[in-house]
Amino acid sequence: HTGLEGAPSGFGAIRAVRLSAWKGQDRDTVFRVKRFETVRSGAPAAIVRAESALIAKSGESRAILECSALTAGAFRLLGLPLGVLSDLDLAAAPPEGTKLLVFPLNPDMPEDAAKQVVRFLGRGGRVMCFYSFPPAVAGAIGVKIGPWVGQKRPGGFARMRMVPGALPGAPAEVGQRSWNIREAEPVEGRSRAAAVWLDDRGEPAGHAAIVLSDNAAVMTHVLLQDDWKNKLRLLLAMAGSLVPEMWEASAESALAGLGGFGPFRGFDEAVKSMREDFAGSAEGAAMLDKAAALRAEARRLLSGRRTAEALDAASEAGRILVDAFCSSRKPLPGEHRAFWCHEARGVEGRTWDETALALAQNGFTAVIPNMLWAGCAAYPSEVLPSDARPGFDPLAECVAACRKHGLACHVWKVNWNMGGKAPREFADRMKREGRTQVRADGNPQDQWLCPSHPANQELEIASMIETARKYAVDGLHFDYIRFPDQSCCFCAGCRERFEKTLGRPVEDWPRGLARDAQARAAWLGFRRTCIDRVVEAVSREAREIRPGIRISAAVFPDWPTDRDRIGQDWKLWCDKGWLDFVCPMDYTADSGSFESRVRLQKEWAGKVPCYPGIGLSTWPDHADICRLIEQIGIARSLGTRGFTVFNLGAVESAEVLPRLGKGMTKISK
C-alpha cells in the first residue's frame, strides 16, 4: 500500500526506497527484510491512479484513493494479474505486455498522459473508465461525455440492468445505489449501451449505466461495493469483453485457489481436515463430495475452453467448500458477540425487528447502533438537533426489537465529531461561539467540537445521559472519544484554559510547546483530562439513572502511543472502572498483527473485558467469512470471551451473519 507525501514525480522517478517498521511494542527488536527485489510488471491490466489530482489536493483525494483500492482489490479477488501506474508516469508508454488500462476515478489527467493513452489505444490497447475521463480519450473510444446528473430522489440510481446480449457473462442485473452519475452516451456506429440505470422501484432512470465500444468499457459512476458478488462478475465481464483471456485467467485462478483459505493450503488439505471435523456427518460429507464433483466439472469445462461455465462451476465449488468450513466450526458458549451498525435505521431493506431476529437466530448477543453524533441525534431529542422524520423513532424501534429477541442494545455515539450530520445552522453557531477546533497551523477543523470547551463537554454528557434516561438501553458506547490527531486543538479557548491550568503563559503559541518540555508534558495531560472528564461523568451519571447499564468504548489500538497522540487514555478508563468493556478497533486484515495487538490490549484492559473490534467491512472483501472466523478464533485463543464486528450492512447481514450461525456462533440446541 502506498500513499503520497509532498509532490512526487511518479513511480518512474524512484531511485531509493526507505523502509520504516510500524511500532508494535516498546522493546528492542530486530527487523529483517527477506527477498528484497524489483518486480517488473508484465500484467495484462494496470490501474492508473490519479496522483496528479492527489498532489493538487483535489477535494476528491479520499475518493480517488478509495476507488483505486477497491477496484484493485476486485481484480485481485477475480484472480486477474494487475499492475499499478501513476498518471504522472503515463507520459511514457505503459509497460510492455499491458493490454488494458483501468481508470477507477480520474477527475483530471495531465495532457501528456492523455495523449499517451490515445497512442496506447491506437496500438490496440483497451481501457475501462469509471465516472470520468478526458475528452481526448472520449474521442478515441467513440463515447460522448455528458453532464453530471444527480439523483432526483434517494434511490434514483439503484440498479444496473444489462441490455440482453450486450455483455456476455454479466449478471442480468447488478445492484449499485449511486447518488449521481456522469452521463455517457454511445456514438452511432462506434459504441452501444450495454446496461441502463433503474431506480429502486425497478423503473428506468433514463440513463446508460455502461457503454461499450471495441476498445473501451465505460461505467457512468465509480465502482461501489454493494451487491459485491454480482459486481465482481460484472467487472470480469467488462474486462473480458475487451481482453478475452481475462476469463481464462480468472477461471484458472479460481480452480487453483479452491481450498486455499483459513488454515488450509489447498483443496485436498481442506477436504481431509473437514472430513475429520465432521466426524461421520452425512450432511457434511455430502457437501464435500459435491465440492469435489464441481471441481472436476470445472476442470473439464476449462479444458474445453468453456471458461465462463468453468468459472461458474469453480465458484460454486468454492462456495460449498466455504459453507462446509463454516458448518464445521464450533461455537463457544457464553461469549459476548456484537455487531456495530453504522446506520441508525438499521440494515437497508430490513426493519429493526428483522435485523434483531437475524442477529439473535445466528447467535449474537448484542448490537451497537450508531444513534447520535456530536451535532445530531437520529431520534427525537431535547439536547441535540434531530434528523428523525415526524412520527418515527429509530432508537425506540431498535430497543423494542432487541427486547423482543433477547439482544442487548448499546447505543453508539460519535463524540466531538459532527461528521457533516449536524444542521448547517447548528454547525455555524458552534463556530461563531468558538466551540470548534483549530489546527496547529491555524486552519479551522470546523466539523469537530473542541473537547476543552466546558459547554461542549456538557453537551456530550447531556446527550448520552438523555439516551439512558429516555430509553431502556442496555449500554452507552463511546466512539471518537478523542482528538482527531496531534495537530488539534489549538483554538484560543484551548490556549486560555491550558495556560490557566499551567499557571503561566506559553510563548510563541503553539510552537513554543515543542521547546518547553514541562509545558509539553502538561499540555498532553491537559488534552487527556478533557476527554477523561466526559467518560467519567457519563459513566457515573448513567449508572445512577439506570443501574446495571454497561458503559463501553471503541478505542484506537495502541494505548501507549494514542494516549499522547489523540488524548485517549483508555487504560485509565478501565483501571478506574469507568468502562464495563472496551473494544479496540483492530481493523487489520493481517491476522498476525491482529493477534499481537489483542494480546497487548487484553493486558492493558486488566480486569475489564476486552472485546476486540474486527474490521470486516474495512477489508477488500466485506464478506470474507474465512478471515473473520480466523480472527474470532484468535480472540478465543487469547481468552477475550467476546468480540465485536464492524459493520452490519447489507452484505454482512446477507452473506456473513448466516454463515457464522452455521457453526462459529451457532446456538446450542
Side-chain angles (χ1 to χ4, degrees), residues 274-298:
M274 281 189 273
R275 286 197 189 280
E276 294 172 356
D277 290 335
F278 281 126
S281 163
E283 183 180 356
M287 294 174 74
L288 298 176
D289 290 342
K290 179 65 173 175
L294 282 165
R295 181 191 186 214
E297 176 69 1

Side-chain angles (χ1 to χ4, degrees), residues 473-592:
V473 299
D474 298 283
L476 298 178
H477 186 73
F478 291 100
D479 188 20
Y480 281 76
I481 186 69
R482 57 178 176 83
F483 288 84
D485 51 42
Q486 284 181 309
S487 71
C488 290
C489 170
F490 293 92
C491 68
C494 273
R495 181 178 188 178
E496 179 184 349
R497 289 182 282 272
F498 172 62
E499 289 181 341
K500 183 177 180 180
T501 301
L502 185 64
R504 61 179 173 86
V506 176
E507 300 297 329
D508 190 23
W509 175 268
R511 290 180 294 275
L513 288 170
R515 300 189 294 272
D516 186 334
Q518 181 195 25
R520 173 70 177 169
W523 169 247
L524 295 175
F526 171 80
R527 294 170 86 234
R528 289 193 293 269
T529 299
C530 293
I531 306 297
D532 296 345
R533 188 174 294 129
V534 172
V535 177
E536 188 276 333
V538 169
S539 177
R540 172 173 42 79
E541 294 181 29
R543 287 164 174 164
E544 290 172 358
I545 291 169
R546 190 171 294 283
I549 195 170
R550 303 186 74 197
I551 310 300
S552 60
V555 297
F556 272 35
D558 190 6
W559 163 74
T561 299
D562 293 328
R563 67 190 297 269
D564 286 342
R565 187 173 67 85
I566 56 174
Q568 191 175 75
D569 196 359
W570 60 265
K571 181 180 185 301
L572 174 73
W573 309 343
C574 293
D575 291 344
K576 293 284 189 180
W578 299 340
L579 297 183
D580 293 292
F581 63 89
V582 66
C583 306
M585 296 179 288
D586 297 315
Y587 297 171
T588 172
D590 183 273
S591 293

Side-chain angles (χ1 to χ4, degrees), residues 413 456-466 533-535 537-538 541:
K413 176 168 188 185
N456 290 343
Q457 294 177 6
E458 289 305 314
L459 182 65
E460 290 295 305
I461 296 165
S463 63
M464 296 184 77
I465 294 304
E466 178 193 42
R533 188 174 294 129
V534 172
V535 177
V538 169
E541 294 181 29

Side-chain angles (χ1 to χ4, degrees), residues 335-355:
E335 69 184 352
H336 173 94
R337 303 168 184 156
F339 251 110
W340 280 291
C341 183
H342 223 317
E343 292 297 328
R345 292 157 186 80
V347 176
E348 186 177 357
R350 293 191 179 190
T351 65
W352 265 118
D353 187 75
E354 291 167 336
T355 298

Side-chain angles (χ1 to χ4, degrees), residues 115-196:
K115 290 179 179 178
Q116 186 60 253
V117 173
V118 173
R119 287 193 288 270
F120 171 75
L121 290 164
R123 295 192 300 270
R126 304 286 188 264
V127 297
M128 285 177 63
C129 302
F130 295 85
Y131 190 57
S132 58
F133 46 97
V137 175
I141 62 177
V143 177
K144 182 181 177 182
I145 303 174
W148 178 92
V149 180
Q151 60 182 358
K152 294 178 181 178
R153 61 172 181 82
F157 299 115
R159 301 188 69 76
M160 295 179 281
R161 175 179 289 168
M162 303 305 125
V163 174
L167 193 54
E173 288 190 10
V174 178
Q176 168 139 323
R177 295 187 72 88
S178 293
W179 47 94
N180 62 258
I181 62 170
R182 176 72 66 182
E183 192 173 68
E185 298 178 10
V187 174
E188 188 174 355
R190 298 190 63 191
S191 55
R192 62 202 182 278
V196 296

Side-chain angles (χ1 to χ4, degrees), residues 103-318:
F103 298 89
L105 176 58
N106 298 69
D108 199 5
M109 189 183 298
E111 185 178 350
D112 55 354
K115 290 179 179 178
Q116 186 60 253
V117 173
V118 173
R119 287 193 288 270
F120 171 75
L121 290 164
R123 295 192 300 270
R126 304 286 188 264
V127 297
M128 285 177 63
C129 302
F130 295 85
Y131 190 57
S132 58
F133 46 97
V137 175
I141 62 177
V143 177
K144 182 181 177 182
I145 303 174
W148 178 92
V149 180
Q151 60 182 358
K152 294 178 181 178
R153 61 172 181 82
F157 299 115
R159 301 188 69 76
M160 295 179 281
R161 175 179 289 168
M162 303 305 125
V163 174
L167 193 54
E173 288 190 10
V174 178
Q176 168 139 323
R177 295 187 72 88
S178 293
W179 47 94
N180 62 258
I181 62 170
R182 176 72 66 182
E183 192 173 68
E185 298 178 10
V187 174
E188 188 174 355
R190 298 190 63 191
S191 55
R192 62 202 182 278
V196 296
W197 285 105
L198 305 179
D199 66 16
D200 56 359
R201 297 167 185 159
E203 297 297 324
H207 299 278
I210 298 172
V211 177
L212 294 181
S213 70
D214 290 342
N215 59 2
V218 176
M219 182 184 289
T220 56
H221 198 218
V222 296
L223 197 70
L224 301 178
Q225 200 159 16
D226 48 347
D227 197 10
W228 191 232
K229 181 180 177 181
N230 281 327
K231 197 70 61 64
L232 288 173
R233 188 56 179 261
L234 173 63
L235 189 68
L236 176 59
M238 291 170 67
S241 72
L242 300 169
V243 184
E245 54 263 41
M246 294 285 188
W247 281 105
E248 185 173 0
S250 187
E252 288 177 344
S253 176
L255 263 171
L258 280 177
F261 58 79
F264 313 123
R265 289 171 294 182
F267 185 86
D268 293 338
E269 180 182 328
V271 169
K272 181 177 183 296
S273 176
M274 281 189 273
R275 286 197 189 280
E276 294 172 356
D277 290 335
F278 281 126
S281 163
E283 183 180 356
M287 294 174 74
L288 298 176
D289 290 342
K290 179 65 173 175
L294 282 165
R295 181 191 186 214
E297 176 69 1
R299 285 174 164 172
R300 185 186 67 78
L301 291 166
L302 187 59
S303 66
R305 306 193 68 79
R306 294 162 63 181
T307 52
E309 295 170 83
L311 181 58
D312 287 338
S315 298
E316 181 64 8

